[in-house]
Structures are given as structure tokens and as C-alpha cells.
Amino acid sequence: MKSLKYYAFVALLFAVFIFIMNSGDLFKKPLGSGDDFMLYMNQVEENISVNEWQTASINYEKLHRTWKKIVPRIQYSVEKDEINAIDVNLARLESCITSQDKTLALLELNEAREHWHDLNR
Amino acid sequence: MFALNEALVVLVRSIIAFFTLLIFARMLGKQQISQLTFFDYVLGITIGSIAASLSVDITTRAWPHWVGLATWTGAVFILQETSIRSKLGDRYLTGEPSIVIMNGQIMEKTMKKLRYTTSDLLEQLRDKGVFDLNKIGFAVLETNGQLSILLKPEYQPVTPSDLKITSSNAGLSNQLIYDGLVIEANLARAGVDRIWLEQQLRAQGINSPSEVYLAGYDANSGSLYIDKYQDNLS
């Protein structure tokens, strides 16, 4: 009985560890309202495609806020470099929107999307 | 950059690495450092190194490191099981002890094959308290690198049976008092009681067990060791 409890405890501990180490895929998905990263990415992309820079700027702010919410959730299971890469993409994207540079803005968005997919991979 | 808390991530990953390593080390048994072969030693370093990466290398994900740790531990476990279950497997995996001195003669060829130098041999002999090669009958180099020696009969120490002396059996000493507290369970195990213990203490001028740091009793020989907090060193 004692050893059964011990093995059950070890199994539970490993299950918790494995969950923490692989929780990135789950926690990068929206868990409530207003934290859908991909939704805001698509909205910003649409705005930029039709040169709606004002709306793109508003949606960029939402995208940035969402990213700030997601990082603490996924930081235990993803590569720090991927997080940093998305940070850089978002910073560049903001400048592209301000300077209304469509080509570079779309480039940064696509790169950020790639890094997003690579999180927890 | 803004929300990533590196210290917190390292803390969580270190907890995972620490307890994983603790459980894996328990799984691999109680082999002591002195019993490790060179391969075991290298395995230990590799597993430790993977655990360190799991703990602090946040540029990579924790999961692949954990899988690496589990794989290496699993491989060691399989090797251990093979060694336990199969004599042939044990011979191939851990090797066999080699005789390096036979009937007082050094086996140069065996030593060359083992890449074991004469200075290694002499050093290990000195470590065993043997400074004269003439005294050695056999010397065996064990798989963990330790040297076992058998002295020639004329140089072996005398034992009570050589002298036809009867000796009492030495048993395990039971701790009766530790840190001023009487351990009741050990009193019963040693076949004595508290009254007997207090009598013994009074005979040595001790009024209370709280004055004693450690008291051990060997029921076979009847010897009682007492160490007081107050040490009379001049």
C-alpha cells in the first residue's frame, strides 16, 4: 500500500511536470475574450492590405496587449528565443504602421506568424 | 522581453529538474561513488549535465531536455537490469576483474591491455598499506578500478582463530540517547529499559539523559558508549 502510494505520487508528479513542459500549445490559444492573438494578427493584416492605417494602429494595440497576456502563460514551455523574436516582430510592425510601409509591415506580420506557429514545437 | 520572467522560468524548470533527477537517481539504486566503473561515472556526468540544461538553458524548451534525461536514465536502468539478470551481459557490460599480480609476479601483458601503469599499481598498493612487493600473493584489479590484494600466508595478520582464542560476537550498537532524548524503541530492541539506563548514567555521574549527546549500547558485548555535552578536554 505504501509503495502504491509512492508510485502514484511519482506518476502524478511526472504528469504535472510533463503538462507544464508541454502546456504552450494549450495556453497560447484564447482562454477568454480579447486574447485571440491570431484574430488580431489577421485583422491587422486586413487593415494594412487595404491601407486602413488608423484601424491597423488600433488593432495593433489590441494585438500587443494580447501578446503581453499570453507570454506569462506560455513562458514555462516555449523557447525564450521564439518569444523574443515575436517581440522584435511586433516592435518593427508598430514602426511600419506608423511610417505606413505596407511591404515591410506584411513581412513582419508573416514572420511573426511563423514564430507563433513555432512556439512549443 | 516585457512579460517574460526569466528568474521565475528558471525557478519552475529547476524544481522540475531537481525532483526528476531525485526520482531517477532513486530508480537507479544505491550504488556508491566508490563502486562506479568509469562508464557509470561518465553516465552520471552526462545525466547531470542534461539536468543542468533543463534547469537553466531557457533558450531551448524544457521538454526535449526532460526526454533526454529520461532516455539516458532508461538506458542505464536497462543496462543495470541486464547486468543483474544475465551473467554474460554483466561480463560484457561491466567487464571482469583482472589479476595483475599472480603468485608475486606482475602480469605485464594484462596491465598493458588494461592501460594500467606500474605507478598506478604501486600507488594503489601503498594505499592498501603494502610497500613491499615481496609480500603480495595476488592482486586483482576490480571493474571499478579498485585493487584487491591477498598477502602471502606468512605476511597475513594473525586472527583470534590462529591464536586459538575465543572471541565474542560483535553486534550492532543501538543508539539509546541522541541529542539529550532517550529513544524508547531502541531500548526495547537492545533488551534494556529506562531504569537500567538511568542506573548506568548515574554510575558515570550523569543525573539526566539531557546531559548526554550520544549513548550507544552493544547488547552482545555489553559495552555502553556515552558522550556528554560537556567535554572534559584539558
Side-chain angles (χ1 to χ4, degrees):
Chain A
M1 191 63 194
K2 200 178 165 188
S3 84
L4 190 72
K5 274 186 186 169
Y6 171 76
Y7 288 121
F9 174 71
V10 169
L12 180 72
L13 202 63
F14 277 0
V16 172
F17 288 169
I18 292 168
F19 173 74
I20 293 171
M21 288 184 287
N22 291 288
S23 58
D25 265 342
L26 178 72
F27 289 137
K28 75 180 187 183
K29 287 175 187 159
L31 297 180
S33 60
D35 66 344
D36 192 338
F37 186 81
M38 282 311 284
L39 176 77
Y40 293 126
M41 283 272 280
N42 293 335
Q43 283 180 356
V44 172
E45 190 172 19
E46 274 173 36
N47 301 147
I48 292 169
S49 303
V50 292
N51 294 317
E52 286 177 353
W53 296 104
Q54 198 72 31
T55 328
S57 182
I58 294 164
N59 281 328
Y60 168 79
E61 282 307 317
K62 288 178 185 169
L63 177 69
H64 194 243
R65 267 202 303 275
T66 304
W67 177 237
K68 266 181 165 176
K69 270 193 222 170
I70 292 171
V71 172
R73 298 199 311 235
I74 60 169
Q75 62 184 345
Y76 305 105
S77 55
V78 302
E79 286 179 27
K80 178 181 170 254
D81 290 352
E82 292 290 354
I83 292 177
N84 287 347
I86 294 178
D87 282 338
V88 172
N89 288 142
L90 292 184
R92 284 186 189 147
L93 179 63
E94 188 180 15
S95 300
C96 294
I97 293 171
T98 312
S99 62
Q100 301 192 351
D101 188 333
K102 191 173 175 178
T103 315
L104 271 180
L106 291 174
L107 193 144
E108 292 298 338
L109 267 170
N110 264 321
E111 196 182 313
R113 191 175 275 122
E114 273 305 304
H115 287 305
W116 174 259
H117 289 306
D118 285 344
L119 286 174
N120 206 55
R121 288 277 181 280
Chain B
M1 207 177 286
F2 38 79
L4 178 74
N5 190 334
E6 291 181 358
L8 196 62
V9 175
V10 169
L11 177 77
V12 170
R13 287 176 63 146
S14 298
I15 291 169
I16 293 174
F18 179 84
F19 286 103
T20 302
L21 203 57
L22 182 70
I23 292 164
F24 284 168
R26 291 267 297 158
M27 260 175 65
L28 293 179
K30 294 182 176 173
Q31 211 172 21
Q32 289 177 5
I33 295 288
S34 61
Q35 295 172 329
L36 297 182
T37 64
F38 179 70
F39 186 58
D40 292 330
Y41 178 66
V42 175
L43 283 176
I45 291 172
T46 310
I47 289 173
S49 167
I50 298 171
S53 302
L54 166 60
S55 172
V56 293
D57 183 9
I58 60 172
T59 58
T60 51
R61 291 181 58 216
W63 177 238
H65 292 294
W66 198 88
V67 170
L69 198 59
T71 308
W72 277 82
T73 309
V76 177
F77 189 75
I78 291 167
L79 287 190
Q80 284 183 347
E81 283 294 308
T82 311
S83 296
I84 291 164
R85 288 169 201 272
S86 154
K87 204 165 165 55
L88 188 73
D90 185 39
R91 212 172 71 193
Y92 280 110
L93 293 171
T94 54
E96 282 181 309
S98 306
I99 298 172
V100 286
I101 297 179
M102 191 189 278
N103 292 323
Q105 294 198 337
I106 297 173
M107 303 284 103
E108 297 87 357
K109 280 185 186 166
T110 309
M111 283 176 56
K112 203 173 171 184
K113 215 162 75 181
L114 297 169
R115 285 183 294 284
Y116 185 66
T117 64
T118 312
S119 55
D120 287 336
L121 174 68
L122 295 174
E123 186 182 323
Q124 284 192 291
L125 287 174
R126 286 195 298 274
D127 188 48
K128 296 269 175 186
V130 179
F131 288 79
D132 184 358
L133 284 165
N134 283 318
K135 291 181 179 176
I136 302 162
F138 286 88
V140 180
L141 187 64
E142 306 292 352
T143 51
N144 60 10
Q146 294 216 345
L147 192 71
S148 304
I149 53 170
L150 181 69
L151 297 172
K152 285 177 181 168
E154 59 269 34
Y155 296 111
Q156 283 184 11
V158 280
T159 61
S161 69
D162 292 333
L163 302 171
K164 309 268 189 290
I165 299 170
T166 50
S167 55
S168 61
N169 285 333
L172 285 174
S173 177
N174 284 297
Q175 280 184 16
L176 302 184
I177 302 174
Y178 178 70
D179 204 14
L181 295 171
V182 177
I183 306 166
E184 299 288 347
N186 286 357
L187 284 177
R189 201 173 294 148
V192 292
D193 56 19
R194 211 180 167 103
I195 298 164
W196 175 88
L197 179 64
E198 282 169 3
Q199 279 173 354
Q200 297 295 320
L201 293 178
R202 272 196 299 276
Q204 299 206 24
I206 300 165
N207 297 319
S208 161
S210 61
E211 294 174 34
V212 178
Y213 172 66
L214 182 72
Y217 177 62
D218 180 356
N220 286 317
S221 63
S223 88
L224 177 68
Y225 169 82
I226 296 175
D227 181 74
K228 293 193 287 182
Y229 280 108
Q230 197 177 353
D231 295 317
N232 296 320
L233 293 174
S234 54

